[in-house]
Amino acid sequence: MLNVLGACPLDCPDTCSWVVTVEDGKAVKMRGNPEHPYTRGALCVKVNRYLEHTQASDRILHPMRRVGPKGSGQFERISWDEALEEISVRLRGIVEEFGGEAIWPYQGTGSLGYLQGCEGVGGRRFWNALGASKHWLNICSAAGNSGLTLANGTPGGMDPEDFAHAKLILLWGTNTLTSGHHLWKFIQDAKAAGAHVVAIDPIRTRTADQADEHLAIRPGTDAALALGLLNVVVAEGAVDEAFVAEHTSGWDDFAAEIARYPVERVAELTGIPAEAIHRLGTRLAHTRPTAIRATMGIQRHAGGGTALRTIAAIPGVTGDWRHQGGGVAYSTSGHVHLNIDTRDDLLAQPVRTLTMTRLASDLEKVKCLWVYGANPVGSTSDSERIRRGLLRDDLFTVVMEHFPTDTVDYADIVLPATMQIEHMDLHAGYGHLYLLWNEPAVAPPGECLSTTETFRRLAAHMGLDEPALHASDLELAAELLDSGHPSLEGITLDRLRKEGWVRMSYPQPFTPFAEGFPTRDGRLRFPPRGKAYVPPRSVAASPYGLTLITPAAHTFLNTTFANNPELVRRAKEPVVLVNAADAAARGLSDGQRVRVHNDHGAFPALVEISDRVAPGVVASPKGRWPKLSGGANPNSVVQEGDADLGRGALYHDNRVEISPAGA
């Protein structure tokens, strides 16, 4: 019996350290690593079924070629040599006739690995050698990253472990107990010491149930609330004048902007009672340290980047960045300084960048779509238009996958991919300050190959002899750790493989901006006048009366696990949460089958009448495979578009109507 240290690859801030027990070459047990300071021995309800998932009967184990119409999911098994030959011929032909930019490598967040996943080098060097279009992975956190970078010079913020030292905690647009539950231990430590916890969320989530207070904010009005709270802070005389003078810029203009958002106006914009805003603003003014947790859901609307920029201004005004347990935690990725060399020098000339959320519109620009770590038919906005685009006869689609997703059904060639316990990878959490190593615990089943090995073999088959395209996983990992940044001091590949995880070389306590910011002038940059709040697009005139939120499901992670029988059973049928007032106005009853729709599409659901959403807001969790959920999921009604910054996604900024099924 052997215990192998690894790391969860999934799109979650916690990036857990796990231990896989192997007996006679088979993984028989997986548990959270009790030695890891953040994981503390616990995995989530989803990943607790990961081993079962790797051994599922519907796993793709061999290369396949389409034999039926596109979208039918009809395939025949072929050999790797046949697959590589057909792919090579098609790619060469596309490059010769249309140029390399006609290839779109569409990579998603199915794995956040720096070797096999979206964070690192997997496949990018190969695509540069072909001159393929670049891919901008803007679907998850781009707007917030951009807003925080404008404010602080980096999306990195406070150490989440320091929430244990906070006296006031604002959980802003984040459902901690579903999407990153390990932070809750540190919040509980703070609560035990007397901290007050406030959940700010359009939905009364399971996290909001555990908070001391819940403010049901109108979707997309978070920046307005931040300004209203700061209006109270200013009125209370609680501005940290010394911090503002020493470490910020643009205060006079920002102070004038704050004055334009008195509590009464903010109450009208946000739907939160004025007395609740004033009460929280007063508490914020006089409670140090205050910690703000804001994750990706908060920035998936038209003003998402500005919302994070304005929220980032709060600890600049109050001086919370001075204190352990004070500041904003959005993503710790800005503190990760690995040497990610995608070898752009292999490009013969500059190429365009195609954005993930514009797949529906931009698919017509390409002749080859190569999908890996992604399930765009299930996860990307305007999914009905994507389906239509994937039906094109002149589009060559290759999908590297574990399971027969909706996207796989449209592929010309399907390649079997390894899962995390079967390959090497290097990880860094975006919710903590640890690097983790994933050692393969078992051999891949069938003919599954890792991302890196797939591209090595394809490069060899195409006669591409650039050495960088053939680097081994260990060579790539050593390159990643060789950045020379002080945060990696003392962290070698040998050490990481031996220990399994290592905290990056940051001090404890870690107060990253106590003495300045990584901006050009070393100062936090307050939003300019008139640019501290961008309204959601859902407030614009629309024939549809309801704003749709698509939060994370408790049992799925994006569309991962949405074919796991037990997790599907626990999730039950797709639902749409509707406030009683909205249900009554439409003659809807609890449990009724309905059609949620707008001009872009529709999806089926059961009505769940609930006070967890306010009037005018409805919610339907994301993550369902359309073909297992009546043919469509909420992304059918999510309109393609860009947030104000970073071209972020707009999943929580769409208007819909609800009608009885069949109407």
Side-chain angles (χ1 to χ4, degrees), residues 300-302 357-361 380-386 537-538 540-544 548 550 597-602 633-643 647-656:
R300 290 178 180 152
H301 57 83
T357 52
R358 289 286 180 171
L359 180 61
S361 294
T380 305
S381 50
D382 260 343
S383 58
E384 296 308 312
R385 289 175 62 204
I386 292 171
R537 69 177 178 181
S538 57
S542 169
Y544 305 108
L548 174 69
T550 59
H597 60 94
N598 59 20
D599 290 343
H600 304 281
N633 70 14
N635 287 324
S636 293
V637 301
V638 175
Q639 181 182 355
E640 185 181 79
D642 296 331
R647 303 196 69 181
L650 303 180
Y651 289 106
H652 301 329
D653 202 346
N654 298 276
R655 302 284 280 188
V656 299

Side-chain angles (χ1 to χ4, degrees), residues 238-538:
V239 175
D240 188 327
E241 302 285 358
F243 191 87
V244 167
E246 294 168 13
H247 299 303
T248 73
S249 63
W251 169 242
D252 289 344
D253 278 352
F254 188 52
E257 188 73 0
I258 291 170
R260 295 180 56 234
Y261 288 84
V263 168
E264 292 72 19
R265 181 189 178 196
V266 171
E268 293 177 0
L269 291 170
T270 64
I272 300 171
E275 57 270 25
I277 298 171
H278 191 273
R279 183 172 62 248
L280 180 56
T282 303
R283 189 184 293 272
L284 172 65
H286 301 292
T287 308
R288 306 277 74 75
T290 289
I292 301 172
R293 177 62 164 170
T295 52
M296 288 62 209
I298 195 175
Q299 43 91 70
R300 290 178 180 152
H301 57 83
T306 295
L308 265 297
R309 183 177 188 180
T310 303
I311 289 170
I314 292 174
V317 175
T318 62
D320 272 295
W321 286 121
R322 294 185 187 277
H323 309 291
Q324 182 183 18
V328 176
Y330 175 71
S331 169
T332 55
S333 59
H335 299 309
V336 180
H337 296 280
L338 296 171
N339 176 35
I340 304 173
D341 185 3
T342 57
R343 293 297 304 273
D344 283 0
D345 61 298
L346 298 177
L347 288 164
Q349 60 191 25
V351 297
R352 68 188 173 192
T353 297
L354 299 172
T355 55
M356 197 171 194
T357 52
R358 289 286 180 171
L359 180 61
S361 294
D362 290 347
L363 191 53
E364 64 184 22
K365 298 177 181 178
V366 299
K367 297 295 183 179
C368 173
L369 182 72
W370 188 294
V371 180
Y372 54 128
N375 179 17
V377 176
S379 295
T380 305
S381 50
D382 260 343
S383 58
E384 296 308 312
R385 289 175 62 204
I386 292 171
R387 286 180 186 273
R388 293 194 292 271
L390 290 172
L391 290 171
R392 275 175 36 211
D393 289 334
D394 66 333
L395 179 69
F396 179 53
T397 302
V398 179
V399 180
M400 299 163 66
E401 248 298 352
H402 307 133
F403 297 101
T405 65
D406 291 79
T407 305
V408 164
D409 288 347
Y410 292 85
D412 295 293
I413 298 289
V414 181
L415 300 178
T418 49
M419 296 178 72
Q420 187 75 345
I421 63 171
E422 301 150 9
H423 57 226
M424 291 181 179
D425 216 338
L426 190 158
H427 289 264
Y430 63 91
H432 57 61
L433 295 174
Y434 299 89
L435 295 182
L436 301 95
W437 179 257
N438 185 78
E439 190 73 16
V442 296
E447 296 180 281
C448 296
L449 295 181
S450 67
T451 300
T452 48
E453 180 61 18
T454 297
F455 286 113
R456 282 191 289 263
R457 292 194 186 187
L458 184 55
H461 201 89
M462 295 185 70
L464 301 174
D465 57 6
E466 162 60 46
L469 304 183
H470 303 278
S472 70
D473 288 356
L474 290 177
E475 288 171 331
L476 293 171
E479 285 183 36
L480 285 162
L481 292 170
D482 188 25
S483 72
H485 193 273
S487 64
L488 300 181
E489 184 178 353
I491 303 176
T492 65
L493 181 56
D494 286 345
R495 179 187 173 193
L496 192 56
R497 291 187 75 188
K498 180 180 178 180
E499 298 180 20
W501 56 269
V502 178
R503 180 181 166 93
M504 289 180 286
S505 298
Y506 289 109
Q508 288 183 295
F510 179 48
T511 50
F513 310 137
E515 301 301 328
F517 296 80
T519 55
R520 185 172 299 175
D521 61 2
R523 292 171 174 267
L524 180 152
R525 296 171 293 207
F526 289 123
R529 189 175 300 193
K531 295 186 177 181
Y533 171 54
V534 175
R537 69 177 178 181
S538 57

Side-chain angles (χ1 to χ4, degrees), residues 187-267:
I187 294 171
Q188 285 180 312
D189 290 344
K191 288 185 72 173
H196 186 80
V197 178
V198 181
I200 302 169
D201 199 300
I203 307 170
R204 196 179 80 245
T205 63
R206 63 179 62 218
T207 301
D209 285 339
Q210 299 299 316
D212 297 301
E213 193 176 350
H214 170 226
L215 301 184
I217 191 169
R218 187 169 292 137
T221 63
D222 305 277
L225 177 59
L227 291 165
L229 295 175
L230 286 174
N231 190 288
V232 178
V233 170
V234 171
E236 290 286 308
V239 175
D240 188 327
E241 302 285 358
F243 191 87
V244 167
E246 294 168 13
H247 299 303
T248 73
S249 63
W251 169 242
D252 289 344
D253 278 352
F254 188 52
E257 188 73 0
I258 291 170
R260 295 180 56 234
Y261 288 84
V263 168
E264 292 72 19
R265 181 189 178 196
V266 171

